[in-house]
Amino acid sequence: MTGDGKRPSVEARGISKAFGGVAALDAVDFEVRWSEVHALVGENGAGKTTLCNILAGIYRADAGQVIVDGTERDFRSPAHAIDAGVGMVHQHFRLVEPMTVAENIHLGWPETPGVVSQRALVDRTERFMSETGLHVDPTAKIWQLSVGEQQRVEILRVLARGARVLILDEPTAVLTAKEAEELFAVVRELAAGGLSVIFITHKLREVLAVSDRLTVLRHGIREITRPTEGATASEIARLMTGEERVLDVEHRVVTGDPALELRGVSALNDRGITALHDVDLTVRSGEILGIAGVSGNGQTELAEVICALRGLESGSITVDGSGTASMSVRAVTDLGVGHIPEDRIGTGMVLSASVKDNAVLHNYWTEQFAQGLTLNRQGVIDFARRLVEAARVQTRSIFATAGQLSGGNQQRLVARREALAADRLLVAAHPTRGLDVNAAQEVRSTILGKRDSGCAVLLISDDLDEVLLMSDRIAVIYEGRIMGVFEAAEADREHIGLLMGGHSMSEAG
Amino acid sequence: MTPLASIASAVLSVTPWRLERRLEVDARRAALTRIGGAVGAMIVVGILLLLTGRNAFWIFWQALDAIFGRQRGIEGVALRGIPILMTALGVALSLRMKVWNIGSDGQFLMGALAAVGVGIHMDGPGWLVLILMAVAATVAGAAWILVPALARAYWDVNEIITTLLLNFVALQLVTWSALGFWRDKEAAVIQSTREVPFTLPGLPGANSVTIALLVPLVIAAVLWWVFRSTTIGYEIDIIGGNPRAAGFAGIAVRRRILIVMLFTGAIAGLGGMLQLSAPGAQAMNAGFSAQFGLSGFIVAALAGASFWGVIGGGLFIASMFYAGIVLQTKGLSVYIIFAIYGVILTGIALGEIAARYRVVRRDAADESEATAGEAAAARKGADS
């Protein structure tokens, strides 16, 4: 029973929730209807996830009511919520990697038969997939699947338990652009079938692309609920941030000496497959060269070969005229190369170490801190204090572990640390990924500041808007090849989009 | 989470409380909670002894008197402490890099064996022989971990298995030397190697404790300084925390792992030589190591890889063992003594958990499956 398009499926009335005295939600009203995709929008920490955790029975509200399909509910666990038809797919998947898709869908499901063969599980799963129109190989092991497919398994698992209201928490954060498009199609399909889908995101383009209605939360207060039709990105952005902050970037044409030159560079990825084919690139001092491309087309390897974290198969790389082919990571860093790595937490930080120790990770060996063998402890402390202040990292103490920092603070710390280390060249890989609008603006200002002070910047991003906004020149990468390089003035969005999708110059032109 | 923390968290899961990781662990609290754990455990032991009709006050008095009442007691603790401290320091060093050297017993034995080899075959002034014995023991201890270290550093082979199994090989070699190639043919009854004719000089005023006691203290001081004030210590901590970040920072991770593992073996090997050069222990037999490596491992794990913690904890456990032997001679059953050891070690381990976690009241959120993802979601919620 899904009802018509007007009746609400889930209603939250006057929901309040505080954590340790800090209000995460303040008397929020929220209503979702059957057969609609409802985007829940807001910056990091606006209360989106908290609200949905209450709807899905993970938290209990301090005040307010949750009404599901006309009946007031008091969920004490996610199991209660799923019994009432509300299910959530979390940002971090809860799948058992060595087990098959069919096994994962049936795990912990009361309707799974007590004694059952693999064959029967697969049959049940296939029947179920044809009902929902979502398909994944039921015999595949989870670790063999792409992230997008794993997400589909999570959605299937929730739908299998009878969910009629599906909550997706930042579902595109982990997806490639193509996978995201596929997800949008699935979501539209589910809503057309009568379900409600709550789509949590802070990406404005997704809101406009996928939702029927939208609700904006800011600092735990509902700003607006309205139909998506007729809404503009800048209007939503203003409601999210409370002010319209558009970075005004002046693009330049720079003719100085090249700070970074790649000639015929080829390199392998971790699986031993060629990830970069014969790449030629030049970045001049005082300019930002943006690399546009869909994730997984060699960008990771490109950043790593430049910083000597990955070896070359052929070709040469020079920084300020010195060839780096046989240099160590440290020697390249000492040339004045900073690197904001793609995986800030996994590569750029040590969560168990203190903020202070993380602050000097990329320059502790320099004369500023190291005298022979000894490390100047006071110097490190002073440097860390200044860095934390400059990057506006909120931490109780520089001696506390980096693991206690929130994600945004961790990112700001790494971005500012690397910007300081970069005298000649800053390699920034997806520097604003996962950040809210304000934090992203701060990181972008930092990068622009480096450019203006004469540093060369290689900006890698799968967010084409960001590449177009920031870059003085743009190179498009596809399957490890550079498809073309453009001055910002002559860059055409559609043309670049075609090149990113693998259409050659002649086809695109 | 350590296994014990997992158990504690499971026990708490039926109560309205749960464990929460502390943001910062300060050294003073770490020491105090461990001491508190030991004292608490001794109170529990006392109550259990009283309940089973034993005079707990008399037993504790006997134990304290045995250790502190006479010089023999203090020296006995020091003698038992030296091998435990040496193996514990080696393990603690490896734990800073999150490498688990379970083979310190084997390295200790091989160090001692090398020292015996030098000691019984070399003529010369005593001081020179002793120095060469120490060098040989250090090299032998390092050599005994060389293969596991290479395998771990360059092929990512789990060091727990390789180092553990080499313990048994070392024990067989020692037995062979005692029964075979270095057997003392004159003392036909005792199956042991010939005796090294030299001992280290005694500490002033001591009857049996030699300058060997100073060695673990010096090593602890050096290690403490290395990790406090040098780039090498910083790099080892970074490798222990996140090897990928260490690579990102240009640290030669594999070479560091190799070198640090060799050092842990070298320290344990030197411990074998120190043990061998004490008066009355100058020959080796199959019982030469009373599982010192295992005790050292317990000490290092409980001390949380803090070097001064290793010294304090090692001396505490050595006194516990010494008191246990004295109490046995006073008629207390060996099984009760082992049970007391167990309760006290558990108390210290709980103190170690208390230093890193605190008990907080459970939120509604925790009533559901407390998975990492939800914890992350909860943190995210709490940040707003």
Side-chain angles (χ1 to χ4, degrees), chain A residues 29-218:
Chain A
D29 294 320
F30 180 55
E31 179 219 83
V32 184
R33 297 175 188 155
W34 292 117
S35 303
E36 82 167 355
V37 179
H38 196 117
L40 187 54
V41 200
E43 300 197 82
N44 290 344
K48 308 177 300 264
T49 303
T50 307
L51 177 60
C52 286
N53 277 335
I54 289 170
L55 297 180
I58 293 163
Y59 297 150
R60 289 176 73 185
D62 298 338
Q65 300 163 292
V66 174
I67 296 152
V68 179
D69 208 11
T71 313
E72 182 173 348
R73 301 281 186 168
D74 182 17
F75 297 140
R76 284 165 184 276
S77 78
H80 288 159
I82 197 89
D83 285 346
V86 181
M88 184 158 172
V89 173
H90 295 268
Q91 214 173 341
H92 305 272
F93 302 153
R94 289 101 190 266
L95 297 171
V96 185
E97 299 225 323
M99 293 172 83
T100 65
V101 169
E103 285 168 332
N104 267 280
I105 286 175
H106 285 84
L107 258 181
W109 182 16
E111 283 173 38
T112 305
V115 181
V116 69
S117 68
Q118 275 296 331
R119 190 64 247 161
L121 280 185
V122 169
D123 286 345
R124 283 174 61 98
T125 309
E126 269 170 353
R127 210 168 331 124
F128 189 68
M129 286 179 178
S130 58
E131 278 169 31
T132 54
L134 285 171
H135 289 280
V136 189
D137 175 8
T139 60
K141 302 266 199 313
I142 296 300
W143 60 266
Q144 298 170 320
L145 301 179
S146 71
V147 178
E149 288 173 313
Q150 292 184 16
Q151 186 175 58
R152 209 170 296 169
V153 176
E154 281 276 15
I155 294 175
L156 275 165
R157 195 158 75 153
V158 175
L159 294 177
R161 284 152 180 73
R164 312 290 299 145
V165 177
L166 184 66
I167 303 170
L168 303 175
D169 187 2
E170 308 230 358
T172 58
V174 290
L175 299 184
T176 64
K178 182 162 171 287
E179 285 173 329
E181 289 300 330
E182 286 166 10
L183 175 71
F184 294 161
V186 167
V187 164
R188 300 283 353 150
E189 193 73 11
L190 292 173
L195 269 62
S196 292
V197 181
I198 302 175
F199 197 101
I200 303 179
T201 183
H202 56 241
K203 296 182 191 161
L204 305 179
R205 201 115 74 84
E206 291 176 0
V207 177
L208 300 176
V210 79
S211 68
D212 299 306
R213 291 199 303 155
L214 63 91
T215 293
V216 178
L217 288 181
R218 187 160 77 89

Side-chain angles (χ1 to χ4, degrees), chain A residues 363-377:
Chain A
N363 60 357
Y364 70 88
W365 65 84
T366 56
E367 278 173 15
Q368 192 179 357
F369 305 114
Q371 283 97 40
L373 257 186
T374 60
L375 192 62
N376 174 357
R377 217 174 115 78

